Amino acid sequence: MSDTITVHDKCFIPYLSSNEIVEKVKELAEKINVDYEGKRPLFISILNGSFIFSADLFKYLKIEAEICFIKLASYKGTKSSGQVITAIGLDTDIHGRDIIILEDIIDTGKTINQFLPQVYNQQPSSLKIAVFLHKPDATVFPVKIDYTCFTIPDKFVLGYGLDYNGLGRNLPQLYQLKED
Ligand code: IMP
Ligand code: MG
């Protein structure tokens, strides 16, 4: 793995390699292939952070599957702003569908909890949540997560779609904020 990197004003240390990440994402795809055999789930990917996780996971699915995107945002710098903004809403009919929500990371749980009522209101036939990363120690708004690639400590991470003030999403591996 490569060394410490600097993004804006902060230093980050390597945390999860791209091989470790890809293996976990493949494992998750395999589970979904089994659990949804004979079905045609609709994935709802939450932008921006989930775009790389969603694309990678989607490539490894062998079942029939559809995907759509919505955009929610609550982060400013390395702390949750506490306010969730819907920048792009749901434009697909989800009534009677098997829905799997794709999130890059569940931190406080606020973003996902704000979005869930919109989904339930449209009465999907089933709803599951798949996350790339889960920080259980940061939970403020509990949510039932069905699939998780990695459970991580409550420290800010960067890469594989996750940013620090707009940068770092293109890093193929995951980095963790270096403590001063
Ligand atoms: P929550 O609403 O607090 O659960 O935050 C969820 C959103 O905050 C995620 O979709 C990410 O976009 C962002 N986020 C949370 N933790 C991190 C992190 O460690 N690095 C980068 N973005 C994060
Ligand atoms: Mg996000």
Side-chain angles (χ1 to χ4, degrees):
M1 259 205 254
S2 48
D3 292 329
T4 303
I5 57 163
T6 302
V7 175
H8 293 301
D9 56 337
K10 303 222 183 285
C11 279
F12 293 85
I13 49 173
Y15 182 52
L16 296 172
S17 73
S18 80
N19 277 350
E20 282 174 280
I21 292 171
V22 168
E23 282 315 306
K24 278 281 181 199
V25 173
K26 274 187 193 169
E27 266 175 42
L28 173 56
E30 284 308 320
K31 271 188 212 156
I32 293 175
N33 283 330
V34 172
D35 293 354
Y36 286 82
E37 200 187 336
K39 296 186 173 170
R40 189 192 291 166
L42 170 64
F43 289 80
I44 302 177
S45 169
I46 304 182
L47 296 172
N48 288 335
S50 303
F51 77 114
I52 292 183
F53 167 53
S54 302
D56 276 355
L57 180 79
F58 211 67
K59 284 188 295 192
Y60 300 119
L61 294 174
K62 298 193 180 87
I63 50 170
E64 286 191 344
E66 293 175 44
I67 190 164
C68 66
F69 298 86
I70 58 151
K71 182 171 176 178
L72 305 175
S74 75
Y75 246 62
K76 225 176 167 218
T78 60
K79 292 272 179 307
S80 177
S81 72
Q83 266 210 322
V84 181
I85 303 151
T86 304
I88 302 174
L90 194 57
D91 66 351
T92 310
D93 184 12
I94 63 173
H95 183 84
R97 299 294 307 267
D98 292 307
I99 302 297
I100 304 175
I101 295 177
L102 298 177
E103 236 314 27
D104 53 350
I105 184 164
I106 294 195
D107 184 44
T108 64
K110 182 160 184 143
T111 308
I112 194 89
N113 265 295
Q114 155 137 349
F115 176 59
L116 285 177
Q118 290 184 45
V119 180
Y120 282 122
N121 279 346
Q122 294 192 43
Q123 298 172 314
S125 83
S126 71
L127 176 61
K128 284 193 182 179
I129 297 173
V131 298
F132 173 56
L133 301 170
H134 182 209
K135 288 182 185 169
D137 297 342
T139 305
V140 179
F141 306 92
V143 60
K144 183 181 164 285
I145 302 169
D146 301 282
Y147 303 105
T148 306
C149 289
F150 297 96
T151 299
I152 64 167
D154 186 10
K155 289 188 181 164
F156 191 79
V157 289
L158 179 77
Y160 198 71
L162 293 111
D163 72 309
Y164 167 45
N165 275 348
L167 295 182
R169 296 193 196 274
N170 51 313
L171 298 163
Q173 71 200 71
L174 205 69
Y175 288 82
Q176 191 179 63
L177 183 64
K178 192 175 174 195
E179 310 287 349
D180 299 318

